[in-house]
């Protein structure tokens, strides 16, 4: 078992992969909280990181009086802060005279819609195999970890339609809460990425396990007909306005804090 102090004066307890003896676990906690340094830390928080939840749950059921009352309360009433692959993080707030200000785990999902327009004034649209409606929509999906927005849009368009595209600019983004997808129900930000086809002679090849059909639709038909939802019509109208003014949200790379990151800002290419 490894016990360290974080920069906020909290205590992080990392449990080993092997089974933990309940008595030794409690004795180690007692030694930790009896040290002056850790007493100061105990005023902020208590976090357990582990790949093995069963030993922890066993410890919660013990009746030891050797642990400080605040710590014992945390052990008996744990709060699951979040879980990731191979890790469960529990959080306990010890001070009774201060508010728990540990941030909640990230609660916003990021998605992209690839709005591909060709030189024939057509927009590339798809119908999903497992869709909420029968409307045509933009190809797109979730942004992967470590992936830039425009790269995600290009990838999703390629996966769903087989079309290679290049980045033009961000048109707009949508933000709403309680995304109605089972298991998520988090806030959602959806970026509309304007793209151009790399090769207009390229043939559509759908991703059969997710997409039932894909096709180029004349923009005027898309806006005037009933095959596209009003929501997606709004995206197309916004893209057309950006093209007419030649103004987009575009990307540049900067370096700070020993890492390279993306900066997005409005740019007029006239």
């Amino acid at each position: 078992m490894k016990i360290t102090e974080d920069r906020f004066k909290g205590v992080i307890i990392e449990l080993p992969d092997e089974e933990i003896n309940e008595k030794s676990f409690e004795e180690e906690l007692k030694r930790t909280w009896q040290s002056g340094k850790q007493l100061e830390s105990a005023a902020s928080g208590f976090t357990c990181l582990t790949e093995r939840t069963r030993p922890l749950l066993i410890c919660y059921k013990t009746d030891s009086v050797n642990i400080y009352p605040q710590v014992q309360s945390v052990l008996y009433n744990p709060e699951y802060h979040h879980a990731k692959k191979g890790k469960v993080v529990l959080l306990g707030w010890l001070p009774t005279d201060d508010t728990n200000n540990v941030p909640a785990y990230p609660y916003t999902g990021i998605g992209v819609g690839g709005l591909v327009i060709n030189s024939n004034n057509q927009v590339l649209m798809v119908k999903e195999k497992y869709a909420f409606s029968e409307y045509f929509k933009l190809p797109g999906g979730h942004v992967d970890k470590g992936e830039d927005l425009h790269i995600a849009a290009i990838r999703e368009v390629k996966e769903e339609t087989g079309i290679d595209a290049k980045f033009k600019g961000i048109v707009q983004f949508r933000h709403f809460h309680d995304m109605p997808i089972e298991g998520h129900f988090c806030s959602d930000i959806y970026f509309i990425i304007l793209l151009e086809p790399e090769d207009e002679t390229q043939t559509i090849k759908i991703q059969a396990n997710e997409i039932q059909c894909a096709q180029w639709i004349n923009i005027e038909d898309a806006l005037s007909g009933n095959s596209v939802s009003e929501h997606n019509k709004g995206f197309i109208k916004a893209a057309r306005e950006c093209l007419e003014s030649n103004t987009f949200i575009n990307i540049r790379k900067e370096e700070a804090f020993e890492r390279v990151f993306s900066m997005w800002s409005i740019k007029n290419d006239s």
Side-chain angles (χ1 to χ4, degrees), residues 242-253:
C242 288
L243 285 168
E244 289 172 353
S245 64
N246 210 23
T247 303
F248 307 92
I249 301 173
N250 231 311
I251 187 174
R252 71 178 188 274
K253 294 290 185 177

Side-chain angles (χ1 to χ4, degrees), residues 4-225:
T4 56
E5 181 181 322
D6 67 16
R7 66 190 180 98
F8 300 107
K9 299 296 183 181
V11 177
I12 298 176
I13 301 176
E14 297 181 62
L15 301 179
D17 289 340
E18 65 269 13
E19 291 287 342
I20 302 170
N21 179 278
E22 299 159 35
K23 185 176 180 180
S24 64
F25 176 63
E26 292 176 359
E27 289 175 350
E28 184 65 27
L29 279 177
K30 179 183 177 182
R31 284 195 298 270
T32 298
W33 260 266
Q34 282 179 338
S35 69
K37 182 179 179 181
Q38 297 296 348
L39 276 175
E40 178 185 359
S41 298
S44 286
F46 173 87
T47 309
C48 283
L49 292 83
T50 179
E51 295 185 3
R52 305 176 63 86
T53 57
R54 182 174 174 272
L56 278 177
L57 295 173
I58 291 174
C59 291
Y60 298 150
K61 297 175 182 178
T62 61
D63 296 321
S64 171
V65 295
N66 295 325
I67 305 174
Y68 283 149
Q70 302 101 310
V71 181
Q72 192 173 23
S73 174
V74 169
L75 290 174
Y76 274 102
N77 303 286
E79 176 186 337
Y80 284 82
H81 187 264
H82 69 274
K84 298 176 68 174
K85 185 177 181 180
K87 180 183 293 184
V88 175
V89 176
L90 309 176
L91 172 69
W93 187 256
L94 299 183
T96 57
D97 57 350
D98 197 5
T99 302
N100 182 351
N101 57 7
V102 176
Y105 196 64
Y107 47 82
T108 299
I110 305 294
V112 291
L115 205 165
V116 189
I117 296 178
N118 64 19
S119 61
N120 296 318
N121 202 38
Q122 296 173 316
V123 58
L124 181 63
M125 307 204 79
V126 302
K127 282 188 178 181
E128 293 181 329
K129 192 172 183 178
Y130 306 103
F132 292 113
S133 72
E134 284 299 310
Y135 288 121
F136 276 98
K137 64 177 287 292
L138 302 181
H142 293 286
V143 178
D144 289 340
K145 182 179 179 180
E147 187 176 42
D148 278 341
L149 299 170
H150 63 303
I151 301 301
I154 291 170
R155 172 183 56 76
E156 287 285 350
V157 167
K158 178 65 174 178
E159 289 175 356
E160 294 186 1
T161 70
I163 298 296
D164 293 302
K166 55 186 177 182
F167 175 63
K168 181 71 176 175
I170 292 180
V171 170
Q172 59 181 187
F173 65 90
R174 176 196 73 200
H175 188 198
F176 73 89
H177 307 287
D178 293 327
M179 181 70 170
I181 296 179
E182 193 64 37
H184 289 208
F185 292 99
C186 62
S187 297
D188 174 75
I189 300 179
Y190 182 64
F191 290 87
I192 306 304
I193 315 292
L194 185 62
L195 305 171
E196 299 173 338
E198 291 274 10
D199 178 5
E200 297 200 3
T201 66
Q202 201 171 10
T203 302
I204 290 175
K205 185 178 179 180
I206 66 169
Q207 186 180 25
N209 63 329
E210 290 190 14
I211 304 299
Q212 59 173 296
C213 68
Q215 65 185 68
W216 292 100
I217 301 177
N218 183 277
I219 287 180
E220 297 307 322
D221 293 339
L223 294 178
S224 62

